Amino acid sequence: MEERYEFDEATLLSALAIGAPGKRTFFLIIGQKEKWLRAWLEKNLLESLALAIDQFLFTLSREFPSFSRRAAGTPSAENLPSGLPAAELETEEITLGFDREKATLNLSAHASGPQRERRVEVYCRVTLSQLEKLGDQAKSVCAAGRPRCVLCGGPIDPSGHICPKSN
Ligand SMILES: [Zn+2]
């Protein structure tokens, strides 16, 4: 069983995290109008997405000089979704593409919870500035973790930190 969502003019696209520092979980919100999805993903996938977006926009601006990175359409209003998501997903892979002057995001995922075996594919088209904003959000969400120890560079939990460099 495979389910497919298509958002040809996605208006909702953001990267978020919830939870206490060190125990955060990460997700994307993707959608259009009242229909939206919450796609959970591992932090390292979100980090690779941020890098991939940078690379993608850089390549695109070289191949198509008319697409300057900061002038690729106006970002949509930052409206957070209302109500419940149409689906909760566990993201496995994200690929970026380009289609009719818009960027495309393809998510391979499966449903969260008891229906885990259900495969879900998500296809959405966004403006380049939406994509750029997503990249910026992904970077800041990933960087906003636990404070780092100045001695060893390790993360400091709210409960404290046993530093290998100060024994
Ligand atoms: Zn330390």
Side-chain angles (χ1 to χ4, degrees), residues 4-12 29-37 86 89 102-105 121-126:
R4 185 173 165 87
Y5 292 89
E6 288 191 21
F7 302 106
D8 210 41
E9 304 278 340
T11 50
L12 296 167
I29 282 175
I30 299 171
Q32 196 165 330
K33 293 178 184 156
E34 269 98 70
K35 189 177 183 184
W36 60 281
L37 309 169
L89 313 175
K102 285 210 172 184
T104 59
L105 283 151
E121 296 288 322
V122 182
Y123 171 83
C124 86
R125 293 175 70 236
V126 297

Side-chain angles (χ1 to χ4, degrees), residues 24 28 38 43 48-49 58 72 81 100 103 106 120 124 140 142 153 156 162:
R24 294 184 308 155
L28 303 178
R38 177 157 35 217
K43 186 182 182 185
S48 340
L49 177 65
F58 177 71
R100 289 172 287 140
N106 266 290
V120 184
C124 86
S140 61
C142 288
I156 300 172
I162 299 165

Side-chain angles (χ1 to χ4, degrees), residues 149 151-152 161 163-164:
C149 170
L151 290 177
C152 68
H161 166 67
C163 187

Side-chain angles (χ1 to χ4, degrees), residues 1-163:
M1 267 297 283
E2 189 183 292
E3 204 170 335
R4 185 173 165 87
Y5 292 89
E6 288 191 21
F7 302 106
D8 210 41
E9 304 278 340
T11 50
L12 296 167
L13 181 69
S14 30
L16 297 156
I18 54 167
K23 293 182 177 130
R24 294 184 308 155
T25 46
F26 300 85
F27 61 96
L28 303 178
I29 282 175
I30 299 171
Q32 196 165 330
K33 293 178 184 156
E34 269 98 70
K35 189 177 183 184
W36 60 281
L37 309 169
R38 177 157 35 217
W40 299 94
L41 73 179
E42 297 292 333
K43 186 182 182 185
N44 56 17
L45 182 56
L46 190 58
E47 283 169 335
S48 340
L49 177 65
L51 288 176
I53 288 173
D54 267 355
Q55 189 62 47
F56 179 83
L57 291 172
F58 177 71
T59 306
L60 208 61
S61 66
R62 278 208 312 196
E63 280 179 33
F64 304 96
S66 57
F67 288 112
S68 85
R69 284 195 56 167
R70 291 277 170 191
T74 44
S76 58
E78 191 155 31
N79 45 350
L80 283 171
S82 56
L84 292 170
E88 301 261 4
L89 313 175
E90 307 283 342
T91 314
E92 287 152 17
E93 200 181 303
I94 303 173
T95 52
L96 294 174
F98 191 66
D99 170 39
R100 289 172 287 140
E101 307 213 328
K102 285 210 172 184
T104 59
L105 283 151
N106 266 290
L107 269 71
S108 301
H110 60 84
S112 297
Q115 297 183 303
R116 289 183 62 84
E117 70 283 357
R118 210 174 78 221
R119 306 277 327 153
V120 184
E121 296 288 322
V122 182
Y123 171 83
C124 86
R125 293 175 70 236
V126 297
T127 65
L128 297 181
S129 60
Q130 278 177 297
L131 188 68
E132 181 168 36
K133 203 172 94 187
L134 179 70
D136 290 345
Q137 274 180 348
K139 269 182 255 173
S140 61
V141 155
C142 288
R146 292 164 284 180
R148 295 276 164 178
C149 170
V150 292
L151 290 177
C152 68
I156 300 172
D157 286 317
S159 55
H161 166 67
I162 299 165
C163 187

